[in-house]
Amino acid sequence: MHLQTFATLPSTNQYCELLDLSQTEEFTVIRALQQTAGIGQRGNHWESEAGKNLTFSLILKPDFLPVADQFRITQTVSLAVIDTLKPLLPQWHGQLRIKWPNDIYVGTSKICGMLISHKVQHTTLQASVVGIGLNVNQTLFPDWVPNPVSVAQLLHRDTPLDPLLTQLVSHIERRYQRLREHIDEKEEYLSLLLNRGIESDYLYHGTPVRATLHDVNSFGHLQLITSDGTPLSCGLKEIAFLLPSPQPLQEKSL
Ligand code: BTN
């Protein structure tokens, strides 16, 4: 890892967009202790209290991957975040889920979000910017943040950020190496998906539907079957999960 830490940046992803990625080494990490304009999915603001959480962007050069396989980066990094959280939160091990495509949940609360963008050269990926926001030591969130949770809220103590960043990046390195070796981890990704195989509520193009999530295709599109048997294939802008209000998290004794 080639780590560059900034006290403050508007957004680590935005900073990476300004870099000449062809001149930037793979596994460069741009980290900000504070983001003043953190970017979330769907153009939302990403809220993170200064110095409390991990907010960084990692540069990958997956030139071995065809453009059509870009979802594998999402899959790889999501699994690496789960790898990192499992030993940190052993009591919540069974409640760690991936909310498609790449939100990481504990029960019905979100602990980590990702924003991934790709640069394409001909038919392969030239570079990927993987922005990760992991809630670690923040215990108070503004009301407008939907269902957040942090490691500190679960463990009732702080976790040092620097070793956690090192662990997370080394889990990404390990999973990325497996991707390079064409080891398919889709089944593991599917097995961790929130709502998989359970009839649940969604908004499809703004209309409420009840449907069962059963797969993700190779382009990363969510595959659902509605309660009347209609198959749906959805990109991020077409579907929204309607989740029940967060339930108190059940700590499992070890
Ligand atoms: C989401 O909405 O779930 C995606 C959140 C992504 C947040 C991270 S924090 C580091 C990086 N820089 C940004 O501006 N966004 C990502």
Side-chain angles (χ1 to χ4, degrees):
M1 152 163 81
H2 311 282
L3 176 63
Q4 293 180 39
T5 301
F6 294 80
T8 305
L9 282 177
S11 149
T12 58
N13 271 42
Q14 188 203 60
Y15 180 90
C16 290
E17 298 299 330
L18 304 174
L19 293 174
D20 177 357
L21 294 180
S22 66
Q23 302 299 314
T24 310
E25 277 203 78
E26 187 161 55
F27 277 94
T28 293
V29 170
I30 304 297
R31 176 185 180 197
L33 302 180
Q34 179 181 25
Q35 292 190 123
T36 52
I39 309 165
Q41 296 275 10
R42 303 168 202 254
N44 292 328
H45 175 73
W46 181 254
E47 153 66 27
S48 179
E49 194 181 333
K52 294 278 185 176
N53 303 311
L54 287 179
T55 46
F56 66 96
S57 301
L58 166 70
I59 291 157
L60 299 175
K61 305 271 187 86
D63 51 8
F64 55 92
L65 268 189
V67 175
D69 289 348
Q70 58 186 261
F71 187 71
R72 296 215 170 184
I73 299 288
T74 298
Q75 206 174 277
T76 298
V77 180
S78 302
L79 288 171
V81 174
I82 299 270
D83 293 339
T84 310
L85 292 177
K86 267 187 189 167
L88 187 65
L89 301 172
Q91 291 95 325
W92 288 274
H93 188 292
Q95 293 181 67
L96 290 170
R97 291 284 179 278
I98 301 165
K99 177 172 158 273
W100 175 86
N102 52 20
D103 288 343
I104 308 301
Y105 270 60
V106 185
T108 51
S109 301
K110 177 166 168 175
I111 197 162
C112 179
M114 279 175 227
L115 192 62
I116 304 180
S117 62
H118 302 285
K119 291 218 176 341
V120 170
Q121 193 170 45
H122 307 299
T123 56
T124 58
L125 294 175
Q126 183 197 19
S128 303
V129 174
V130 179
I132 299 182
L134 174 62
N135 298 332
V136 185
N137 294 325
Q138 182 165 348
T139 52
L140 293 172
F141 291 86
D143 289 343
W144 58 265
V145 181
N147 57 344
V149 73
S150 68
V151 173
Q153 285 175 322
L154 297 171
L155 296 182
H156 307 292
R157 60 175 159 80
D158 277 4
T159 298
L161 293 176
D162 294 6
L164 187 58
L165 173 64
T166 307
Q167 281 160 23
L168 175 48
V169 174
S170 66
H171 280 296
I172 297 174
E173 277 168 343
R174 193 179 64 85
R175 291 273 181 182
Y176 188 65
Q177 184 53 33
R178 292 167 68 81
L179 179 63
R180 216 184 253 289
E181 292 164 11
H182 304 288
I183 298 171
D184 190 358
E185 307 198 291
K186 182 178 168 190
E187 277 311 316
E188 189 178 359
Y189 175 85
L190 288 179
S191 73
L192 286 161
L193 279 183
L194 187 76
N195 280 359
R196 189 188 184 203
I198 302 167
E199 196 175 71
S200 311
D201 294 311
Y202 299 88
L203 282 180
Y204 178 65
H205 289 284
T207 303
V209 292
R210 266 189 87 69
T212 305
L213 183 171
H214 66 97
D215 200 3
V216 175
N217 72 10
S218 61
F219 300 111
H221 290 173
L222 196 61
Q223 309 296 300
L224 302 161
I225 298 180
T226 64
S227 48
D228 65 9
T230 311
L232 302 177
S233 179
C234 320
L236 195 56
K237 291 189 181 137
E238 292 161 314
I239 192 90
F241 286 61
L242 293 174
L243 296 177
S245 332
Q247 305 296 312
L249 287 161
Q250 296 296 320
E251 188 169 345
K252 191 166 162 270
S253 51
L254 294 173

